[in-house]
């Protein structure tokens, strides 16, 4: 067992038992197998087994399970042990364990600083994070901790110094280190926390490139929190991605104004991204309120619009048909779409037929047609066919469909084997190793990575 090997296997989920299958083994009562593999270098087994031992009050045994992994110097193992120690009330032991790793910066330092702050050592946390403020991850942690430490103004000054006056970046990563848009967002967080909401809003309006992260728009969320609905409404009209419109609709729906929320999504605009995403969100809203057939019509209009019949939109439409007992209508739509394309149907669209056919009692026909498709002998087609069979309770046939492509879909095949009680076969399959490139061990440092 060594850090490079552990790092490669866990990052790529190759040559190991992945977390979802560890969970499935435990759910099906294969506790002994998980314990056995935990002691043989299977990290995800070890992590879960140690947690279970700790929950049973067997802390010494839990630490014994993790010890060989921690001894390699691999940070994820040390982090897992520190989290257990903290959860058991052994905060000082957790801090001392994590301390040397924090010297590498990045995620280990973020974890360490937050750990310090949770246990009353905010001054040390702030000092360490301030030195690494050029890393957006550490800067974010610093802002989170600064309020409790009473250091908001100090950190605000550090952030303001990283927002060049008059400088206009030609790309999101023009400036080295902490980019101006991220610095603006973090400074706005501090100003809002201080009650200086107007300043926070003004700051966020100055961002140039990054306005949304992880499908959330910071300005839209701020306006919603402070009941600035008219400002949010105006912003939703201009925000390109549609995240502000979605936030406005969510606020209105939460207040019981469903029609108002619907009107937000129906509002015309010049952003095709906002219009398409808005139609899908509108369909989801209608479904939540028992108006599934209206949701289907909204999505059908979108799919029928110029350029609207993209695979993800058609998939959404077919799913709605299936969920509302209209599988035949879904098949009829796919037939019409195929006719418009001169009888051609790429796999990405053909595969949408299969669950609809199964819903109509045509599972065998669906499998036969899939295997006869020009792409039916590919590994990705086998995975879809196998998944369809498994969902309809035909696990052994699902295994047979995937076995010729075992190396490409080892996780899915192993899951089916586990469901059949063939645990040893599943583990052997998962632990098969291919030659891998030599790569440095990931330290958790994200100094030059964008904030996504």
């Amino acid at each position: 067992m060594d850090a490079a090997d552990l790092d490669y296997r866990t990052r790529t989920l190759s040559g190991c038992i992945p977390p979802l299958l560890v969970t499935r083994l435990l759910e099906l009562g294969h506790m002994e197998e998980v314990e056995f593999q935990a002691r043989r270098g299977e990290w995800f087994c070890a992590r879960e087994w140690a947690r279970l031992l700790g929950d049973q009050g067997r802390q010494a045994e839990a630490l014994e399970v993790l010890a060989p992994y921690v001894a390699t110097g691999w940070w994820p193992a040390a982090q897992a042990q520190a989290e257990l120690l903290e959860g058991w009330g052994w905060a000082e032991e957790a801090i001392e364990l994590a301390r040397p790793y924090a010297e590498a910066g990045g995620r280990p330092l973020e974890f360490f600083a937050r750990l310090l702050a949770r246990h009353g050592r905010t001054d040390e946390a702030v000092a360490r994070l301030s030195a690494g403020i050029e890393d957006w991850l550490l800067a974010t942690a610093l802002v989170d901790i600064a309020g409790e430490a009473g250091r908001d103004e100090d950190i605000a000054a550090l952030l303001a110094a990283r927002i060049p006056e008059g400088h206009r970046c030609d790309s999101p990563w023009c400036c080295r280190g902490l980019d101006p848009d991220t610095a603006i967002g973090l400074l706005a967080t501090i100003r809002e926390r201080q009650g200086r909401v107007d300043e926070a809003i003004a700051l966020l309006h100055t961002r140039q490139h990054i306005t949304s992260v992880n499908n959330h728009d910071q300005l839209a969320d701020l306006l919603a929190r402070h009941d600035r609905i008219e400002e949010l409404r105006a912003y939703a009209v201009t925000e390109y991605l549609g995240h502000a419109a979605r936030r406005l609709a969510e606020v209105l729906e939460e207040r019981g104004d469903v029609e108002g929320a619907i009107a937000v999504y129906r509002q015309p605009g010049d952003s095709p991204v906002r219009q398409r995403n808005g139609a899908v969100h509108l369909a989801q809203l209608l479904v939540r309120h028992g108006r599934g057939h209206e949701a289907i019509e909204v999505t059908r209009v979108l799919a029928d619009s110029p350029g609207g019949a993209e695979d993800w939109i058609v998939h959404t439409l077919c799913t709605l048909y299936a969920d509302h007992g209209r599988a035949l209508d879904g098949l009829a739509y796919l037939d019409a779409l195929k006719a418009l394309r001169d009888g051609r149907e790429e796999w990405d669209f053909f595969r949408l037929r299969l669950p609809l056919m199964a819903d109509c009692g045509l599972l065998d026909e669906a499998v036969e047609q899939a295997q006869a498709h020009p792409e039916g002998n590919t590994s990705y087609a086998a995975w879809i066919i196998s998944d369809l069979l498994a969902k309809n309770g035909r696990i052994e046939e699902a295994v047979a469909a995937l076995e010729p492509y075992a190396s490409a879909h080892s996780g899915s095949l192993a899951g089916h084997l586990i469901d059949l009680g063939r645990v040893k076969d599943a583990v052997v399959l998962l632990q098969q190793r291919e030659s891998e490139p030599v790569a440095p061990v990931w330290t958790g440092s994200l100094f030059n990575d964008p904030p996504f």
Side-chain angles (χ1 to χ4, degrees):
M1 189 186 302
D2 65 76
D5 180 62
L6 285 168
D7 192 68
Y8 179 84
R9 286 193 289 147
T10 56
R11 280 190 297 106
T12 61
L13 296 182
S14 61
C16 69
I17 305 174
L20 287 176
L21 293 186
V22 174
T23 299
R24 189 177 301 182
L25 286 169
L26 292 171
E27 288 174 347
L28 296 176
H30 300 291
M31 313 288 284
E32 292 182 359
E33 185 66 28
V34 172
E35 179 183 9
F36 177 70
Q37 297 299 333
R39 300 183 186 279
R40 295 186 68 250
E42 286 288 346
W43 165 244
F44 296 116
C45 288
R47 186 178 65 182
E48 190 62 18
W49 189 246
R51 185 189 65 78
L52 291 173
L53 289 172
D55 290 346
Q56 297 169 10
R58 299 160 64 183
Q59 287 90 347
E61 293 175 66
L63 295 178
E64 180 187 351
V65 169
L66 294 180
Y69 300 89
V70 176
T72 67
W74 186 49
W75 165 243
Q79 178 180 346
Q81 180 166 316
E83 288 171 346
L84 287 179
L85 291 168
E86 183 186 18
W88 299 338
W90 302 355
E92 287 304 314
E93 290 84 347
I95 288 170
E96 292 312 308
L97 173 64
R99 184 179 296 279
Y101 294 90
E103 300 302 323
R107 291 200 182 277
L109 176 53
E110 182 214 13
F111 174 87
F112 181 62
R114 291 185 185 277
L115 177 62
L116 288 171
R118 284 196 297 271
H119 297 280
R121 297 164 69 168
T122 52
D123 287 341
E124 181 182 354
V126 168
R128 284 177 170 270
L129 291 172
S130 296
I133 196 172
E134 291 296 331
D135 183 331
W136 71 268
L137 182 73
L138 302 183
T140 301
L142 179 59
V143 169
D144 291 343
I145 292 169
E148 183 180 343
R151 300 281 298 278
D152 271 345
E153 278 306 318
D154 295 338
I155 306 310
L158 290 176
L159 291 169
R162 283 153 180 80
I163 306 172
E165 289 187 20
H167 175 65
R168 304 297 291 174
C169 291
D170 57 6
S171 72
W173 318 123
C174 168
C175 297
R176 293 182 59 82
L178 185 66
D179 66 279
D181 281 353
T182 301
I184 288 169
L186 293 173
L187 181 55
T189 297
I190 291 177
R191 294 307 182 213
E192 181 188 7
R193 190 163 62 208
Q194 293 175 318
R196 297 157 65 175
V197 176
D198 288 338
E199 288 183 51
I201 292 171
L203 276 166
L204 292 174
H205 275 297
T206 68
R207 290 176 304 182
Q208 184 179 355
H209 292 287
I210 304 172
T211 59
S212 296
V213 177
N214 294 331
N215 292 323
H216 283 278
D217 185 284
Q218 185 179 354
L219 175 55
D221 289 342
L222 186 154
L223 292 170
R225 279 193 298 273
H226 294 277
D227 202 27
R228 310 276 281 258
I229 301 304
E230 292 310 310
E231 290 173 75
L232 178 55
R233 195 181 298 277
Y235 180 50
V237 172
T238 61
E239 194 269 310
Y240 183 82
L241 297 175
H243 297 159
R246 188 189 67 215
R247 189 70 192 97
L248 173 60
E250 288 171 349
V251 171
L252 295 174
E253 183 185 8
E254 290 164 3
R255 296 179 175 184
D257 185 4
V258 175
E259 293 304 320
I262 290 172
V264 170
Y265 288 131
R266 291 191 184 279
Q267 185 173 9
D270 57 2
S271 166
V273 175
R274 185 169 68 245
Q275 290 300 305
R276 291 190 179 192
N277 290 340
V280 173
H281 291 311
L282 173 56
Q284 294 168 344
L285 169 66
L286 291 166
V287 168
R288 284 196 298 272
H289 293 275
R291 297 162 65 172
H293 296 301
E294 291 179 65
I296 289 173
E297 290 309 308
V298 166
T299 311
R300 178 67 183 263
V301 169
L302 173 63
D304 288 341
S305 65
E310 298 181 23
D311 57 351
W312 71 276
I313 294 173
V314 177
H315 179 268
T316 300
L317 176 60
C318 289
T319 300
L320 286 170
Y321 276 130
D323 289 346
H324 292 84
R326 295 174 58 181
L328 285 174
D329 290 338
L331 290 171
Y333 173 79
L334 291 174
D335 288 339
L337 185 61
K338 181 178 178 180
L340 287 173
R341 298 180 174 185
D342 300 322
R344 292 180 293 105
E345 192 169 43
E346 298 87 348
W347 178 261
D348 282 345
F349 290 93
F350 173 82
R351 67 184 179 87
L352 303 178
R353 291 181 174 275
L354 304 181
L356 295 171
M357 292 179 70
D359 286 350
C360 294
L362 301 172
L363 177 59
D364 289 333
E365 291 87 340
V367 172
E368 290 175 8
Q369 290 186 23
Q371 292 171 337
H373 189 276
E375 297 175 69
N377 61 349
T378 59
S379 65
Y380 51 83
W383 175 66
I384 295 292
I385 295 168
S386 175
D387 188 55
L388 179 68
L389 288 165
K391 286 179 178 177
N392 285 273
R394 294 162 61 168
I395 309 298
E396 292 184 356
E397 292 175 70
V399 168
L402 268 188
E403 280 180 330
Y405 310 95
S407 61
H409 298 294
S410 59
S412 295
L413 179 54
H416 297 325
L417 292 171
I418 291 170
D419 289 342
L420 291 174
R422 296 170 56 183
V423 173
K424 295 297 183 184
D425 292 340
V427 170
V428 169
L429 173 64
L430 290 167
Q431 291 178 337
Q432 289 179 358
R433 303 289 299 275
E434 297 181 2
S435 60
E436 62 258 16
V438 177
V441 177
W442 181 64
T443 64
S445 176
L446 300 178
F447 188 89
N448 293 315
D449 293 352
F452 295 122

